[in-house]
């Protein structure tokens, strides 16, 4: 089909319902082949969440110029605009529809979950948005023919499509100013120079202390080394260092897998989804921490996770933890790194059954496996050298707990922000600024946060080198003022108070649910007794 073909909105809908992966980019309709959908370096969910939507801002924020030059090859024509605007559809995955191989091996629609709107128990003063959520469907039907046009229709939204389009255009102008200011250029000497010195110092101190049998001191410095080094792994995962995928991924694998024991491949896929559907209870894996943490009452409905493909059940175990989650928050953060191991290794196991192309030509996956084995060899030797299992356990726990401030820092930027979904009408800049906040920090101690305390700017420009975020944030604040958007920021201590307040609010909801359940159980018992008395003719007094 010629690239000049004009696609009417109803024709686009018909193609989507037929199973085609279509999205809009600068007025062009892009058709994503099935083989590329699964081979996409950012994961298939990064594309599925934008089926039927204008993904221009998201694509340009997350891809290098060389990659953007390849996009026209996927164009099958132009979309028909109304008043110069594309009215988005609701992606099938938002209503629980996905494509899976059927008995004959051909792809067919599968209903993995059902969509509902958030219930009245969600406090509008804390969680002001109406959220479209996915709830587990225990008997998901494969016999249904698939989604209908009604499933693609937009849910109610308080936003104006024209206003969101205007903010989107303003964001593109902002992005151009960031590029013209040279902020995508990596500061190798002034940025990474001091960091390399810091990394070397911390690693040397850990090795020196270990050689003198000061094991706990060595564990502390090793934890600090991991804490600092992960910031560079983060940059590399976003291709924000050399800006070449193969080079950045190789260096990132050395840092994350060989030195840290974590999968950079898992982190990239997880993090990409987080950046695209930030703070959505059913879609953002970075806020899906049941049974230990829940930052919205919406989680109490046992939601379906489109990322983990499972129900986040609020069972008895979860209710106990959630009712005291604000008291256990820092304890959970102290052991958060162990959860990263689990997610990393599950991801690498699953990737073993993917196609070679999906693993980056297979070499990236094999390098990661080699890195994980190497990590446990050297770290296992470190633990063995502690002399006793008690000291080895202490070394393990201390070195991992020391990294916990990093986990606390990251959650501060999202846990206290709204978790509601305003629908596909919401523009990229509006969503990122609504769901993300900065942690105010003096420039002299920015290195403690790795520069990632400026999360608002980072979410607007994920590929931006970390050392340029402060300069870029000045442009973003000006943009926010011009567009009437809120640039949220608070101090580290205030941020902790806000997060604890959010966790406490949900914990109180859990307790209320428990009380209601007890009352309902008591009433049910009374009804049974009365019914039994009535059956045997016993009068109640």
């Amino acid at each position: 089909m010629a690239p000049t073909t004009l696609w009417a909105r109803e024709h686009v809908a018909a193609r989507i319902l037929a199973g085609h992966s279509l999205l809009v980019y600068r007025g062009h309709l892009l058709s994503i082949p099935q083989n590329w959908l699964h081979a996409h370096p950012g994961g298939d969910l990064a594309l599925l969440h934008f089926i039927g939507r204008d993904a221009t801002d998201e694509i340009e924020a997350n891809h290098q110029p060389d990659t953007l030059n390849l996009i026209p090859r996927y164009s099958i024509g132009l979309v028909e605009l109304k008043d110069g605007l594309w009215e988005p559809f609701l992606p099938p995955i938002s209503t629980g529809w996905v494509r899976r191989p059927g008995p004959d091996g051909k792809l067919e629609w599968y209903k993995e979950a059902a969509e509902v709107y958030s219930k009245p128990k969600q406090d509008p003063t804390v969680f002001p948005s109406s959220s479209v959520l996915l709830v587990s469907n225990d008997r998901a039907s494969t016999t249904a023919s698939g989604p209908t046009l009604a499933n693609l229709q937009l849910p109610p939204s308080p936003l104006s499509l024209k206003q969101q389009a205007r903010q989107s255009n303003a964001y593109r102008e902002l992005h151009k100013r960031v590029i013209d200011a040279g902020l995508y250029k990596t500061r190798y000497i002034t940025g990474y120079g001091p960091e390399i010195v810091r990394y070397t110092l911390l690693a040397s101190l850990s090795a020196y202390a270990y050689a003198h049998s000061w094991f706990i001191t060595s564990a502390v410095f090793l934890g600090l080394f991991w804490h600092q080094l992960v910031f560079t792994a983060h940059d590399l995962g976003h291709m924000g260092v050399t800006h070449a995928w193969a080079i950045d991924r190789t260096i990132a694998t050395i840092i994350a897998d060989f030195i840290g024991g974590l999968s950079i491949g898992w982190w990239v896929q997880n993090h990409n989804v987080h950046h695209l559907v930030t703070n959505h209870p059913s879609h953002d894996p970075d806020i899906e921490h049941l049974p230990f943490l829940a930052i919205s009452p919406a989680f109490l409905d046992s939601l379906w996770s489109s990322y983990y493909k499972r129900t986040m059940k609020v069972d008895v175990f979860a209710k106990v933890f959630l009712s005291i989650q604000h008291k256990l928050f820092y304890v959970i953060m102290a052991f958060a790194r162990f959860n990263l191991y689990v997610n990393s290794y599950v991801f690498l196991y699953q990737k073993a059954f993917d196609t070679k192309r999906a693993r980056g030509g297979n070499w990236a996956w094999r390098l990661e496996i080699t890195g994980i084995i190497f990590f446990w060899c050297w770290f296992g030797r470190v633990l063995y050298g502690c002399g006793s299992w008690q000291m080895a356990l202490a070394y393990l726990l201390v070195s991992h707990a020391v990294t916990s401030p990093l986990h606390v820092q990251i959650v501060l930027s999202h846990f206290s922000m709204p978790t509601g979904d305003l629908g596909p009408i919401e523009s990229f800049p509006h969503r990122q600024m609504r769901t993300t906040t900065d942690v105010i920090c003096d420039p002299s101690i920015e290195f403690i946060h790795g520069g990632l305390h400026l999360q608002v700017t980072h979410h607007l420009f994920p590929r931006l080198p970390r050392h340029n975020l402060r300069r870029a944030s000045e442009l973003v604040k000006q943009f926010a003022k011009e567009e009437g958007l809120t640039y949220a920021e608070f101090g580290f201590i205030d941020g902790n108070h806000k997060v604890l307040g959010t966790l406490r609010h949900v914990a109180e909801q859990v307790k209320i649910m428990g009380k209601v359940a007890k009352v309902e159980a008591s009433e049910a018992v009374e009804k049974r007794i009365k019914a039994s008395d009535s059956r045997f003719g016993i009068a109640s007094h």
Side-chain angles (χ1 to χ4, degrees), residues 228-358:
Q228 287 291 302
L229 198 60
V230 74
F231 295 129
T232 297
H234 171 276
D235 297 350
L236 292 159
H238 278 294
M239 289 193 297
V241 181
T242 71
H243 312 293
W245 185 87
I247 298 175
D248 277 6
R249 179 55 64 90
T250 300
I251 301 174
T253 302
I254 293 173
I255 292 175
D257 297 71
F258 283 75
I259 300 177
L262 304 174
S263 167
I264 190 64
W266 160 76
W267 180 85
V268 168
Q269 274 206 7
N270 178 284
H271 201 63
N272 281 340
V273 176
H274 161 67
H275 269 271
L276 294 171
V277 287
T278 311
N279 266 27
H280 194 298
S282 289
H283 302 311
D284 182 0
D286 272 14
I287 65 169
E288 296 177 345
H289 301 299
L290 287 173
F292 301 106
L293 293 173
I295 65 170
S296 166
F299 283 105
L300 305 182
D301 290 323
S302 292
L303 304 184
W304 172 264
S305 169
S306 63
Y307 181 86
Y308 292 110
K309 300 301 180 186
R310 63 175 174 82
T311 302
M312 297 178 284
K313 292 184 178 180
V314 182
D315 51 21
V316 175
F317 182 80
K319 289 178 181 178
V320 171
F321 269 89
L322 296 182
S323 66
I324 54 175
Q325 61 176 353
H326 52 296
K327 299 178 181 178
L328 296 177
F329 176 63
Y330 296 108
V331 176
I332 294 172
M333 291 296 101
F335 295 98
R337 192 176 181 90
F338 293 101
N339 183 54
L340 303 186
Y341 289 139
V342 174
N343 288 328
S344 291
Y345 305 154
V346 169
F347 171 84
L348 291 175
Y349 172 77
Q350 293 172 340
K351 281 296 175 183
F353 302 96
D354 277 359
T355 63
K356 292 183 178 180
R357 190 177 181 188

Side-chain angles (χ1 to χ4, degrees), residues 86-396:
W86 170 255
E87 184 180 357
F89 289 110
L90 190 65
I93 194 171
S94 294
T95 54
W97 287 101
V98 295
R99 301 274 289 173
R100 291 183 180 179
D104 57 356
K106 295 182 179 180
L107 290 175
E108 59 184 35
W109 286 109
Y110 178 82
K111 183 72 169 175
E112 68 176 6
E115 78 280 10
V116 297
Y117 289 96
S118 56
K119 296 181 179 180
K121 69 182 179 186
Q122 188 152 312
D123 186 348
T125 63
V126 181
F127 308 98
S129 308
S130 177
S131 183
V132 177
L133 306 172
L134 299 183
V135 179
S136 172
N137 187 356
D138 294 331
R139 295 186 177 276
S141 174
T142 56
T143 59
S145 58
T148 65
L149 185 60
N151 296 124
L152 302 183
Q153 299 307 311
L154 295 176
S157 174
L159 302 178
S160 161
L161 180 59
K162 288 185 177 181
Q163 183 182 28
Q164 293 302 300
R166 181 178 59 78
Q167 290 180 351
S168 178
N169 289 330
Y171 165 75
R172 294 172 195 178
E173 289 297 320
L174 170 65
H175 199 173
K176 187 176 183 302
R177 292 201 297 272
V178 169
I179 294 173
D180 293 342
L183 297 181
Y184 274 101
K185 296 179 180 178
T186 303
R187 292 162 50 191
Y188 292 108
I189 304 300
T190 59
Y192 287 105
E195 293 203 355
I196 292 175
V197 172
R198 191 179 306 120
Y199 302 156
T200 303
L201 177 62
L202 292 172
S204 298
L205 288 172
S206 179
Y208 180 82
Y210 189 88
H212 288 75
S213 298
W214 304 334
F215 296 122
I216 299 302
T217 302
S218 173
V220 170
F221 282 118
L222 178 60
L224 292 174
F225 173 61
W226 282 336
H227 172 276
Q228 287 291 302
L229 198 60
V230 74
F231 295 129
T232 297
H234 171 276
D235 297 350
L236 292 159
H238 278 294
M239 289 193 297
V241 181
T242 71
H243 312 293
W245 185 87
I247 298 175
D248 277 6
R249 179 55 64 90
T250 300
I251 301 174
T253 302
I254 293 173
I255 292 175
D257 297 71
F258 283 75
I259 300 177
L262 304 174
S263 167
I264 190 64
W266 160 76
W267 180 85
V268 168
Q269 274 206 7
N270 178 284
H271 201 63
N272 281 340
V273 176
H274 161 67
H275 269 271
L276 294 171
V277 287
T278 311
N279 266 27
H280 194 298
S282 289
H283 302 311
D284 182 0
D286 272 14
I287 65 169
E288 296 177 345
H289 301 299
L290 287 173
F292 301 106
L293 293 173
I295 65 170
S296 166
F299 283 105
L300 305 182
D301 290 323
S302 292
L303 304 184
W304 172 264
S305 169
S306 63
Y307 181 86
Y308 292 110
K309 300 301 180 186
R310 63 175 174 82
T311 302
M312 297 178 284
K313 292 184 178 180
V314 182
D315 51 21
V316 175
F317 182 80
K319 289 178 181 178
V320 171
F321 269 89
L322 296 182
S323 66
I324 54 175
Q325 61 176 353
H326 52 296
K327 299 178 181 178
L328 296 177
F329 176 63
Y330 296 108
V331 176
I332 294 172
M333 291 296 101
F335 295 98
R337 192 176 181 90
F338 293 101
N339 183 54
L340 303 186
Y341 289 139
V342 174
N343 288 328
S344 291
Y345 305 154
V346 169
F347 171 84
L348 291 175
Y349 172 77
Q350 293 172 340
K351 281 296 175 183
F353 302 96
D354 277 359
T355 63
K356 292 183 178 180
R357 190 177 181 188
R359 294 200 299 262
N362 201 35
W363 69 266
W365 179 82
R366 288 188 302 192
L367 185 62
E368 284 211 74
I369 294 297
T370 303
I372 297 300
I373 294 173
F374 178 83
F375 168 79
W376 285 110
C377 284
W378 77 257
F379 188 58
R381 182 65 184 84
V382 167
L383 296 178
Y384 181 79
C386 288
S388 68
W389 71 266
Q390 294 93 336
M391 182 55 69
L393 179 61
Y395 194 103
L396 175 70

Side-chain angles (χ1 to χ4, degrees), residues 439-485:
V439 177
I440 299 173
C441 174
D442 188 273
S444 63
I445 58 171
E446 276 186 348
F447 71 92
I448 297 176
H449 298 284
L452 290 179
H453 57 293
L454 299 171
Q455 281 286 301
V456 175
T457 301
H458 170 60
H459 264 254
L460 290 173
F461 307 105
R463 295 183 296 107
L464 204 65
R466 179 165 40 91
H467 306 102
N468 296 333
L469 287 176
R470 179 165 288 281
R471 286 181 58 195
S473 69
E474 297 172 0
L475 298 176
V476 174
K477 288 182 177 179
Q478 180 183 346
F479 160 78
K481 185 176 181 180
E482 293 171 352
E483 296 301 316
L485 296 170

